[in-house]
Amino acid sequence: MIIFIAMLFYNFVLNAQVDDNSDLYKTLKSKDSIIFKRGFNLCETEKLNAIIADDFEFYHDVSGIQNKAQFLTIIKKNLCTKPGNNTRQLVDNSLEVHPLKSNGVLYGAIQKGKHTFQEKQKGVLKTVGIAAFTHLWILENNIWKLKRVLSYDHKPYSE
């Protein structure tokens, strides 16, 4: 029984969130920046396209399920018609990264956090919403690719 408990504890420690100073955390935080700062906020969708897996799936609690082509089209149509009118910001200290391993070898990671949404009103960006996200990242030929996204708990922002 003691060995079983020790194994459970060992497994829990190995699957714990990585430190925010780790290479994995920093790498995936930089990918988060490509998705939102470069892709959404600056409408550099070619940067976003490069890090999304071909079999990408996006699950949204308001707008439903989208594949890669649908996801990129919606960004271009909704966010990029007036760049800078809508932005997304990562909530400080909300980002978590959990490694995924197979037989001790890193093959992916789960990244989750919260983000706020800003909308330009009378020339000024105002925070109007908040939501949670969970991303599944997979290493494909040693390149991180965003494979699955859960975007949920969307609600109006209140300070």
Side-chain angles (χ1 to χ4, degrees), residues 118-138:
Q118 294 72 38
E119 182 180 279
K120 198 170 273 187
Q121 297 177 355
K122 298 180 183 177
V124 177
L125 283 173
K126 179 181 178 190
T127 301
V128 295
I130 189 166
F133 65 92
T134 301
H135 294 166
L136 172 63
W137 291 93
I138 298 294

Side-chain angles (χ1 to χ4, degrees), residues 64-133:
I65 303 170
Q66 301 159 16
N67 64 26
K68 182 176 182 176
Q70 293 165 329
F71 179 72
L72 291 170
T73 298
I74 287 170
I75 290 169
K76 290 175 187 175
K77 280 185 176 179
N78 295 332
L79 297 176
C80 296
T81 55
K82 294 182 182 177
N85 210 38
N86 295 287
T87 62
R88 177 269 193 189
Q89 299 296 321
L90 181 65
V91 173
D92 289 339
N93 302 313
S94 73
L95 193 65
E96 294 180 16
V97 174
H98 301 265
L100 297 173
K101 296 180 181 181
S102 177
N103 297 318
V105 178
L106 182 69
Y107 71 88
I110 296 171
Q111 177 187 48
K112 63 182 190 172
K114 292 187 177 188
H115 46 205
T116 57
F117 302 94
Q118 294 72 38
E119 182 180 279
K120 198 170 273 187
Q121 297 177 355
K122 298 180 183 177
V124 177
L125 283 173
K126 179 181 178 190
T127 301
V128 295
I130 189 166
F133 65 92

Side-chain angles (χ1 to χ4, degrees), residues 40-76:
F40 285 24
N41 298 354
L42 299 176
C43 291
E44 296 174 355
T45 54
E46 70 283 354
K47 304 275 187 202
L48 183 56
N49 184 48
I51 64 169
I52 295 177
D54 290 337
D55 61 347
F56 171 82
E57 293 176 350
F58 180 79
Y59 299 88
H60 195 281
D61 65 347
V62 176
S63 61
I65 303 170
Q66 301 159 16
N67 64 26
K68 182 176 182 176
Q70 293 165 329
F71 179 72
L72 291 170
T73 298
I74 287 170
I75 290 169
K76 290 175 187 175

